[in-house]
Amino acid sequence: MSITLTAFEASPDRGRGLARDMQVRWALEELGLAYDVRLVSFAAMKQAEHLARQPFGQIPSYEEDGLTLFESGAIVLHLAERHPGLLPPDPHARARAIAWLFAAMSTVEPPIVEWSMARMLERDTPWFGERQPMLEDRVRTRLAQVADRLGGAEWLEGAFSAGDLLMVGVLRRLGRATMLTEQPRLLAYIARGEARPAFQRAYAAQRAVFEAQARR
């Protein structure tokens, strides 16, 4: 049975490759797996059919051979464990790569999301100016910690892994924010990820959806 992934019919990221199906597309491309995409509208995401696949009414969901999964990190881990190429064969290195996968989603992403959501939703509130430096400091701390651990290496744990795939995806959410441009090691790290042919294919596929919508 073929793999089916759900994605935004009209993504709010306007084709920048930030929607959460991007990491799953990237993983599938790295592994050379064919997949179909089911585009869903915001209205359809709240309907029973989609909620049966994704109980929080979000994207992506993943279906294959009777298995339905949600949460992009869980889907990437599932793919990495089932197919060679995104996790090291050595058990210890494999465990460390998985730890970075969780670190990307659970430790590095939350302060980035909180910072970006505050910029979008709280600009007109009286507390925005007071909270923003605190939120920026939290992001800076995490970025410095990742940069220190990366050091002069190309990837976090030897060869490119699912941990790098998700970490690069998380860091890309910062765009050209000053907090990120202060970390040249991380800028180079992101650039290496974006230069991978599998990333380029995934990005092109996701952007094609936005461009098709824009032409309508």
Side-chain angles (χ1 to χ4, degrees), residues 2-9 21 25 28 34-40 61 205-206 209:
S2 65
I3 294 169
T4 301
L5 181 69
T6 56
F8 286 124
E9 182 179 81
D21 62 295
R25 290 177 185 263
L28 290 164
Y35 62 100
D36 297 318
V37 177
R38 180 188 299 113
L39 300 178
V40 291
S61 64
Q206 195 186 62
V209 176

Side-chain angles (χ1 to χ4, degrees), residues 5-44:
L5 181 69
T6 56
F8 286 124
E9 182 179 81
S11 177
D13 78 343
R14 300 186 63 79
R16 292 184 295 152
L18 301 178
R20 292 186 185 275
D21 62 295
M22 177 63 192
Q23 284 94 325
V24 180
R25 290 177 185 263
W26 185 4
L28 290 164
E29 294 289 349
E30 289 281 353
L31 297 171
L33 299 175
Y35 62 100
D36 297 318
V37 177
R38 180 188 299 113
L39 300 178
V40 291
S41 66
F42 287 105

Side-chain angles (χ1 to χ4, degrees), residues 136-149:
E136 290 179 2
D137 284 346
R138 289 178 180 173
V139 175
R140 277 193 171 93
T141 296
R142 290 295 181 239
L143 295 182
Q145 290 166 334
V146 175
D148 287 347
R149 182 57 181 265

Side-chain angles (χ1 to χ4, degrees), residues 185-204:
R185 287 177 179 174
L186 296 186
L187 290 176
Y189 175 60
I190 293 168
R192 286 192 293 274
E194 292 178 333
R196 294 180 69 84
F199 176 92
Q200 293 292 322
R201 291 193 296 270
Y203 181 85

